Amino acid sequence: MSHPLQRYLHANGSTTSSRSSGAPYALVTGSTGGMGEEWAYQLAGLGFNVIIQGRNRSKLEVVKKEILSRPASKGVDVKLLVTEATIWPNEPLTQGLTALMNDSSVRLTIVVNNLGINSVSYPRFETETREDVASIIIANSMFPAEVTRLTLGKLKQHQPSLLVTITSMAWTNPPPYLSPYCGTKGFDVSFSRSLYNEMWAEKQKVDVVCMAPGQVVSGMHEGEPGIMVPTSEAWVRAAITSLRSTWWTPRPAPFIYPWGPQRWSQAIADWLPSSFSSWIAIQMALSLREKYWKKMGIDGVQS
Ligand SMILES: NC(=O)c1ccc[n+]([C@@H]2O[C@H](COP(=O)([O-])OP(=O)(O)OC[C@H]3O[C@@H](n4cnc5c(N)ncnc54)[C@H](OP(=O)(O)O)[C@@H]3O)[C@@H](O)[C@H]2O)c1
């Protein structure tokens, strides 16, 4: 039976690429934890070779070992891209990715711009350091832009192909104490939407999709899973399913909330007066900040 990403596996002979040159590659950024690690496992499980990016080689080796140990992904090729994400200019990224893109055996058909970082302490904006603010902007905006700039040529060469960029539900109703993060997530949405239109204008079969998670259990958001807070494994499974094409939607939508309950809550929020939406965002941020303070033993009155 075909799976939701069959179109990008080029296994039905309907593409310009040759099957005999091996399975296509998928690149996932931030793949040593959370949703990125899940993207790597699930894409490899669907038959893609994978390029996994992370800043820590030994963590990447652990993910590679796990991929190769799973029966569903037996025999896939796993390449490592080791680079920090918060430096600019990012020579290890540019050089590493350029070398991979110049390798004619790497038939890239999927890129997942997953990596994103946040300040978990919910600081007042004026107390943040210049370095903290810059790190978030570089990792969440400049890093995916550079990854895309370096890979888009390959995605155009091996059509149909897919470019996913992960934003956040925090983009539409930005909580307080997260302004650099929310700003970059707005960048991700417009960046992705403009590229979607660019591919359409140029009649390219590069499907460009921006996906918005709400809270998902991961390194960024620890805690118990629930109906509104899926595990990373469940969220990525829903994300991949949401990319399935049908006869009435031959290409994925440009913007998707993959997790059903979060999608429905967003639909309700869209109908609420903005003052009420702001109140909800404030309450959520205050409660998460208090949890963080408790965990770190910080006295909230003095902070
Ligand atoms: N989780 C949520 O609730 C949530 C909600 C909305 C949107 N999102 C978005 O979903 C995406 C994935 O988030 P996630 O929660 O799965 O992430 P996560 O678990 O916090 O992060 C996992 C990956 O990010 C890497 N990373 C963290 N800090 C880094 C840094 N300074 N430099 C380089 N790499 C770094 C980690 O590397 P190491 O293993 O080396 O630390 C790991 O590979 C992000 O774009 C995020 O903004 C998440």
Side-chain angles (χ1 to χ4, degrees), residues 30-35 55 59 84-86 114-117 166-168 181 185 213-216 218-221:
S31 48
T32 54
M35 288 177 263
R55 58 181 165 168
K59 279 191 181 181
E84 247 295 342
T86 55
N114 162 77
L115 186 133
I117 64 171
I166 307 297
T167 179
S168 165
Y181 178 77
K185 290 298 166 181
Q215 290 178 350
V216 175
S218 71
M220 187 180 283
H221 184 84

Side-chain angles (χ1 to χ4, degrees), residues 169-249:
M169 281 175 73
W171 159 73
T172 44
N173 189 19
Y177 310 112
L178 288 179
S179 51
Y181 178 77
C182 294
T184 59
K185 290 298 166 181
F187 170 91
D188 293 338
V189 175
S190 287
F191 173 74
S192 183
R193 193 58 195 259
S194 174
L195 280 174
Y196 172 91
N197 289 340
E198 187 170 319
M199 295 305 107
W200 188 1
E202 295 196 353
K203 299 187 176 54
Q204 299 287 334
K205 286 188 189 156
V206 181
D207 299 336
V208 180
V209 180
C210 188
M211 291 190 169
Q215 290 178 350
V216 175
V217 180
S218 71
M220 187 180 283
H221 184 84
E222 294 167 349
E224 289 301 308
I227 180 85
M228 291 305 292
V229 188
T231 59
S232 288
E233 194 270 340
W235 188 89
V236 172
R237 202 163 293 288
I240 288 176
T241 304
S242 73
L243 292 164
R244 184 184 288 284
S245 52
T246 59
W247 65 267
W248 68 91
T249 49

